[in-house]
Amino acid sequence: MFNESVSIWNYLKDTPKPIVIYGMGNGADKILAVMERRGITPAAFMASDEFVRGHSFRGFEVRKLGDIEAQFGDFIILVAFGTNLPAVVQKIYTLGNKYEVLAPDVPVYGDVHMGLFDEQFVESNAQKIAQVRGLFADEQSKKTFDALINYKISGKLNYLQETVSCRDAAIDLLCLKKNGSEIFFDFGAYDGDTVQEFIEITGGNFSKIYAFEPDFRNFCKLRRRHYLLEPDKLEAVNAAAADKDGAEDFNSAGGRQSALSPNVGKTKKVVTISADSFSEHRAIKPDYIKFDVEGGEKAALTGAAELLKKHKPKLAVSLYHRNEDLLDLPLLISGSNSKYKMYLRRHEYIPAWDINLYCV
């Protein structure tokens, strides 16, 4: 079930090989922060040849792979960026055929030092891990879960290659109807991409979509993207999903990274809405709810507890923004309604992003 017992961080601390960080930006900063705290020193930074222009990152010259090869010969590459672009994903896997390539798992949101999947995390959460594994309704989910735990501990790419599933097949698990009856709550609607997905799945034959997006620039894109829909078919709401109605600090990044995030970056107040209160005030019972709210999934699900308990809407929930989400969110949903059948799927991404829980 779980093959890996030594965390990537302890492995890197003990390896005699030079460690080369591949990539720059936020991901590299997070990986470097963990390495520094654990006394691990990188030997170099590299980027794809087309991005190397004599610049530096964190005091290191950013170099081409050929230059790294000429200096070190044998070394470890740490992938420090996220991608689902087929050509880039394939390039990373091809690198892994020649070199030792690892993709460290660090939280997308929250304190980088909290919740790392190291030996201590696995030991302290052993009971939860066993409980969550037992919730899944099929063997593919259990296989995916096992591979993800092994990956998160070790950073080894082979576990990611084992767990890729087709998004269309995963969505099929929800059995969304095409009879015009479906009501969709889309929390974290971004620019309307998952609204569009829902429209295509239902063949445009649905009752109504309520799309919630707190970032105002994304919210405007959402409205523009679907202006051709009949006004009574889509209602866009400029608000964030939360456990209660109110207002919270919001870090407006203008992309998918916009999130409820006090004291981080440039923040402003945004309206927060719970699914329970919105449903009650509008006298609406959604058939399907998607939660992809950039690290706020736990609060959003807490704010939907009554809906889950009384009406059991179909769910699609992101499980990758915080490491603890892989364990806490399935348990939270099961605690609200133990009758849910749960399916775990991961779509192509390096590192282990785009992990989704489908509940029916």
Side-chain angles (χ1 to χ4, degrees):
M1 187 165 63
F2 304 124
N3 304 320
E4 303 295 337
S5 59
V6 177
S7 75
I8 183 175
W9 310 109
N10 282 332
Y11 175 72
L12 293 175
K13 188 173 178 62
D14 294 337
T15 185
K17 294 182 182 181
I19 299 168
V20 178
I21 298 180
Y22 178 19
M24 300 161 283
N26 184 252
D29 279 332
K30 288 184 176 184
I31 290 169
L32 195 56
V34 177
M35 291 175 65
E36 287 175 347
R37 176 171 284 196
R38 295 178 179 237
I40 307 166
T41 303
F45 276 75
M46 64 171 269
S48 299
D49 287 1
E50 61 268 28
F51 295 112
V52 177
R53 302 182 182 90
H55 55 296
S56 63
F57 180 78
R58 297 291 294 272
F60 288 83
E61 178 189 4
V62 179
R63 303 165 65 190
K64 296 181 179 180
L65 176 61
D67 296 333
I68 300 290
E69 290 173 325
Q71 180 177 358
F72 297 121
D74 189 21
F75 49 91
I76 295 174
I77 298 174
L78 301 185
V79 180
F81 60 92
T83 183
N84 65 347
L85 298 174
V88 181
V89 168
Q90 186 55 52
K91 180 178 181 179
I92 292 171
Y93 286 140
T94 300
L95 273 176
N97 294 330
K98 186 175 182 181
Y99 307 100
E100 185 174 6
V101 179
L102 304 173
D105 182 80
V106 291
V108 179
Y109 287 92
D111 187 338
V112 69
H113 302 294
M114 301 295 289
L116 286 174
F117 259 76
D118 56 13
E119 297 91 341
Q120 183 179 355
F121 183 92
V122 172
E123 182 179 355
S124 62
N125 287 281
Q127 184 175 355
K128 277 187 180 181
I129 290 171
Q131 284 180 297
V132 171
R133 192 178 191 277
L135 292 175
F136 297 125
D138 67 348
E139 286 303 314
Q140 185 176 344
S141 297
K142 293 176 182 179
K143 181 181 177 181
T144 300
F145 183 72
D146 293 349
L148 284 170
I149 298 294
N150 283 318
Y151 160 73
K152 284 176 173 289
I153 296 170
S154 69
K156 295 179 181 178
L157 296 179
N158 61 292
Y159 293 116
L160 295 184
Q161 291 174 294
E162 292 173 8
T163 59
V164 176
S165 63
C166 170
R167 186 179 299 276
D168 289 345
I171 290 292
D172 286 345
L173 293 168
L174 296 170
C175 297
L176 297 176
K177 299 173 183 176
K178 299 182 180 181
N179 61 4
S181 66
E182 297 279 6
I183 296 175
F184 177 30
F185 280 10
D186 187 347
F187 285 103
Y190 184 45
D191 65 357
D193 54 348
T194 45
V195 167
Q196 186 64 41
E197 180 182 72
F198 176 79
I199 293 169
E200 292 171 359
I201 291 168
T202 59
N205 194 23
F206 59 90
S207 179
K208 189 159 184 176
I209 301 168
Y210 297 88
F212 304 82
E213 173 53 48
D215 185 282
F216 187 70
R217 283 173 289 181
N218 293 339
F219 172 72
C220 291
K221 292 176 185 177
L222 164 68
R223 290 196 301 180
R224 287 198 300 269
R225 182 168 180 168
H226 295 288
Y227 75 97
L228 291 176
L229 283 176
E230 297 174 29
D232 63 344
K233 299 286 276 186
L234 170 68
E235 181 174 338
V237 183
N238 188 203
D243 55 352
K244 59 183 181 299
D245 293 356
E248 292 187 32
D249 288 332
F250 182 78
N251 179 19
S252 181
R256 290 191 182 277
Q257 290 73 39
S258 298
L260 293 176
S261 184
N263 304 318
V264 177
K266 185 178 180 180
T267 62
K268 63 178 182 179
K269 291 289 185 183
V270 296
V271 172
T272 60
I273 291 177
S274 79
D276 282 343
S277 68
F278 188 85
S279 176
E280 181 180 357
H281 293 159
R282 299 291 193 92
I284 303 164
K285 297 177 183 177
D287 301 286
Y288 169 42
I289 308 178
K290 186 215 79 181
F291 292 107
D292 184 359
V293 290
E294 308 304 319
E297 285 80 8
K298 188 172 184 177
L301 282 165
T302 300
E306 287 301 307
L307 275 174
L308 271 57
K309 180 180 179 180
K310 294 179 180 178
H311 304 298
K312 196 187 170 194
K314 290 164 278 194
L315 304 173
V317 183
S318 293
L319 296 187
Y320 66 92
H321 294 109
R322 303 179 189 275
N323 273 333
E324 59 267 29
D325 287 349
L326 184 63
L327 306 179
D328 289 348
L329 301 189
L331 291 172
L332 180 59
I333 293 168
S334 179
S336 295
N337 193 323
S338 62
K339 295 181 180 180
Y340 271 114
K341 290 183 178 180
M342 298 187 185
Y343 301 89
L344 182 67
R345 297 292 188 267
R346 191 189 77 81
H347 310 306
E348 186 73 271
Y349 226 113
I350 297 177
W353 297 353
D354 213 350
I355 303 168
N356 296 280
L357 184 68
Y358 299 96
C359 304
V360 294

